[in-house]
Amino acid sequence: MKQLFLNFLTLLTLATSACTKNNSSDDPGPGTSIPSNVKGKWAFGGSFSLNDFENYDGSYGGKAFEQGMVFYFKPNGKYELYVINAATSYNCRTQAFTFNTGNVTFNESEGTFTIRPLSGTMRGYYSCAPSKNFKRDAHADELKTQKYYYVIRKNSQGETVMNISTTPSVNDGADFDFDPSE
């Protein structure tokens, strides 16, 4: 059962990094200039359990489930994408990390951007099965072109967010917070 869960988490990480194949006939080419209102880091620190996870002895064990994603749009038409999925079950911590970088093209009139990964890294850590830990370069079939829809807007607290979705509906997306440290 534990191996099935580990396989599921790894597949989830791979699935969150992209959806359509980057055919060799598609020239990734350079990215476009980044619109001034989206340059920088946008972070989604999204899913986690509502209650803190406690170990059997009552000590703090962290969150039972965590998920996060960061898009970093650079002024030169490049991007970086960071994805983390983590779960704690029966005192075992499983973490999956995906990173890729490449070119990004924005279509402001359409409200879309397309990422074309050129390289990436996959990592997995299993506290109860450390022999299964891995770190490797992303395989060619894991570096996939992905089109996203976006809207810059104010959230209910009046903060500027970027709603990012894989569909044209902003109701399907998630709000990413801007990181002003860049």
Side-chain angles (χ1 to χ4, degrees):
M1 184 65 156
K2 187 188 320 180
Q3 187 60 43
L4 181 62
F5 176 74
L6 297 176
N7 290 340
F8 170 76
L9 192 59
T10 300
L11 289 173
L12 179 64
T13 300
L14 295 175
T16 60
S17 67
C19 292
T20 59
K21 248 187 171 176
N22 187 9
N23 297 325
S24 59
S25 63
D26 293 339
D27 178 12
T32 58
S33 63
I34 307 297
S36 61
N37 63 336
V38 301
K39 287 179 187 170
K41 291 182 182 173
W42 295 87
F44 171 74
S47 302
F48 52 88
S49 62
L50 296 176
N51 298 314
D52 289 341
F53 179 83
E54 291 184 3
N55 293 321
Y56 290 118
D57 64 2
S59 63
Y60 176 70
K63 300 291 182 189
F65 178 76
E66 297 170 273
Q67 186 175 49
M69 182 180 233
V70 172
F71 281 100
Y72 180 14
F73 300 115
K74 300 182 175 188
N76 63 356
K78 303 290 184 189
Y79 81 94
E80 293 176 355
L81 174 63
Y82 303 83
V83 179
I84 179 174
N85 292 292
T88 303
S89 179
Y90 298 104
N91 294 325
C92 293
R93 183 88 172 143
T94 301
Q95 297 174 296
F97 301 91
T98 300
F99 167 79
N100 64 58
T101 186
N103 298 315
V104 61
T105 304
F106 277 82
N107 183 328
E108 290 182 84
S109 63
E110 222 179 60
T112 63
F113 65 90
T114 302
I115 61 170
R116 291 177 182 83
L118 300 174
S119 64
T121 305
M122 307 294 201
R123 295 182 295 155
Y125 296 100
Y126 312 99
S127 67
C128 291
S131 65
K132 302 290 185 186
N133 291 352
F134 68 90
K135 180 180 179 182
R136 64 172 174 76
D137 290 339
H139 299 145
D141 64 342
E142 294 167 332
L143 299 173
K144 301 176 182 191
T145 297
Q146 173 66 46
K147 181 178 183 176
Y148 293 94
Y149 296 83
Y150 76 97
V151 166
I152 304 292
R153 61 185 172 100
K154 299 283 186 188
N155 65 14
S156 60
Q157 290 83 33
E159 302 163 326
T160 299
V161 297
M162 181 188 296
N163 184 277
I164 300 175
S165 177
T166 56
T167 71
S169 173
V170 295
N171 295 326
D172 294 338
D175 285 345
F176 284 66
D177 298 316
F178 182 70
D179 178 357
S181 67
E182 283 304 311

